[in-house]
Amino acid sequence: MAVETRALWLSPRSDVIAAEDPSVWRAGAPDYSLTVDRLAQERQVNFPEGSLEDSVTNLVRVFEMEATYKADARTWISIDPDVFTMRTNGGPAVTAHDVTTQGAYNLFLGDRPDYRGSKHTFDSSEAVFHQAFPEGFLWELMTLTVALPIATLQWRHWGRMSGTFGDVEGDGGMFEMFGTSVVTLNDDLKIVSSEHYFDAGSMFDQLTGRCPMAH
């Protein structure tokens, strides 16, 4: 199944950046030039350009870009900002405005022994994970099941921990996590709601070098 004429939010991030007014970005347009080659080299799955899977991949990447770099949710093109909600691992629903003010990492992770999302601001949370993954924290779609308006995504996040996480010095080893997202789309294929499921405990076991059998 292919998307013949793609809307901007289903297109590569570079197209969105080129089309947007520079004023929508928090501190200038984002630059993904350092991660483009790594994505091509390290991704495990490639979908045909123009396929539905390719378009949904672009949609998620545009969403992540907007969540990180656009301070005003009304300028997000990947979602319907009037109704959008997001849940993580069965937690409470949050809005796009919550993401812009509290930070996606804080809302995804919440309060855990190794990371207290409630103690972090948007900026400090971004700094924590940029410091851990200075070479980038990449995302790819692994499988897609669609029964509109619902799309179920199996995904992979990965990066080389060449920085530091708290007191833990990274050795450049590969960090990898997998998860599932159940996304509701509207008729324009914008995101109306999303529910994300992943093992946060395993994520922090990798970040801290802790043996998963120790807890």
Side-chain angles (χ1 to χ4, degrees):
M1 181 178 179
V3 178
E4 294 182 3
T5 302
R6 289 202 286 193
L8 188 58
W9 50 92
L10 303 176
S11 303
R13 291 176 298 197
S14 57
D15 291 358
V16 177
I17 293 169
E20 286 285 26
D21 186 310
S23 66
V24 303
W25 309 109
R26 286 180 182 270
D31 180 3
Y32 290 98
S33 58
L34 295 179
T35 61
V36 170
D37 289 342
R38 286 191 52 225
L39 269 171
Q41 294 168 4
E42 298 178 11
R43 64 188 304 170
Q44 295 181 353
V45 181
N46 285 283
F47 297 107
E49 184 176 355
S51 65
L52 183 60
E53 290 86 353
D54 179 52
S55 294
V56 169
T57 293
N58 290 332
L59 175 64
V60 173
R61 289 196 177 127
V62 171
F63 171 82
E64 288 192 330
M65 176 175 69
E66 293 184 313
T68 304
Y69 294 104
K70 285 185 175 181
D72 185 350
R74 293 172 298 179
T75 68
W76 294 16
I77 63 172
S78 60
I79 67 169
D80 180 340
D82 292 328
V83 299
F84 173 82
T85 59
M86 179 178 75
R87 296 178 185 269
T88 301
N89 289 331
V94 299
T95 67
H97 177 70
D98 294 328
V99 176
T100 64
T101 55
Q102 298 179 49
Y105 284 118
N106 296 329
L107 295 173
F108 273 129
L109 299 173
D111 285 335
R112 306 188 59 81
D114 301 297
Y115 183 84
R116 302 284 293 176
S118 63
K119 302 298 183 182
H120 280 279
T121 65
F122 181 101
D123 290 334
S124 69
S125 66
E126 290 290 322
V128 166
F129 290 96
H130 281 303
Q131 188 172 12
F133 301 103
E135 300 173 49
F137 191 33
L138 309 181
W139 182 93
E140 69 171 330
L141 176 68
M142 303 297 286
T143 66
L144 174 67
T145 304
V146 177
L148 291 176
I150 304 298
T152 302
L153 292 64
Q154 304 282 343
W155 48 261
R156 170 182 175 244
H157 249 312
W158 78 98
R160 298 195 179 278
M161 192 177 164
S162 53
T164 58
F165 178 76
D167 296 329
V168 179
E169 187 76 29
D171 60 3
M174 180 66 75
F175 170 97
E176 191 174 51
M177 62 180 290
F178 296 88
T180 300
S181 296
V182 180
V183 180
T184 302
L185 304 170
N186 64 15
D187 291 341
D188 295 323
L189 298 184
K190 292 189 175 188
I191 302 171
V192 173
S193 66
S194 58
E195 300 181 29
H196 308 291
Y197 303 93
F198 60 93
D199 186 347
S202 175
M203 173 182 175
F204 285 103
D205 287 343
Q206 292 185 71
L207 284 170
T208 60
R210 180 176 55 230
C211 174
M213 300 301 293
H215 58 89

